[in-house]
Amino acid sequence: MTPPTGGSQRMSSKRSKNPALPVLDDAFRLASVKDAEESTRDLAARLATTELRRVSHPGRVTWEPTDQAEPVPAPPTVVDGDGDLWLRDRGTGTWTMPEFDPKEFPARCGEVLTWNQLACEYGPLTALADDRRIGGRRR
């Protein structure tokens, strides 16, 4: 699965429940993202958000939107690029957004997603816990 390169998949402007964690809106203000070609700006923002999170929260594991292999062990919760929480169903390995409200989020956020779908469409993903052992293959 290839990450989106077109328009932003950002969900809402009234984010982040965790204001210390950088979100896509922060990256879209960076000169390097503003200067990117429009067709690649969304991916540039997602990759910049990944780096901002890794620098500002080195104790948390952050996966890029292009990280398609589900981490082992998989974290029980992650925060997406907009700062929204997603929970993993241990039985099925799928992901859901517990705070989904169809009035605030696109319908896709109410669906059950695989890791690949979640990372590609809403990444970067950051482990909620400050524990580098989670999904240890990634920073």
Side-chain angles (χ1 to χ4, degrees), residues 43-92:
L43 181 57
R46 291 176 184 285
L47 295 174
T49 303
T50 302
E51 290 309 310
L52 289 170
R53 287 182 177 185
R54 288 176 175 166
V55 168
S56 66
H57 290 80
R60 291 188 186 186
V61 180
T62 295
W63 297 269
E64 295 181 357
T66 57
D67 287 332
Q68 294 298 296
E70 186 164 28
V72 177
T77 56
V78 294
V79 177
D80 70 14
D82 285 322
D84 293 308
L85 181 68
W86 290 79
L87 301 177
R88 183 176 186 269
D89 181 310
R90 291 191 323 184
T92 63

Side-chain angles (χ1 to χ4, degrees), residues 98-120:
E99 296 180 3
F100 173 71
D101 179 348
K103 295 175 187 168
E104 293 186 37
F105 299 97
R108 182 77 167 140
C109 294
E111 296 178 17
V112 175
L113 303 178
T114 64
W115 174 267
N116 291 1
Q117 293 166 326
L118 184 61
C120 179

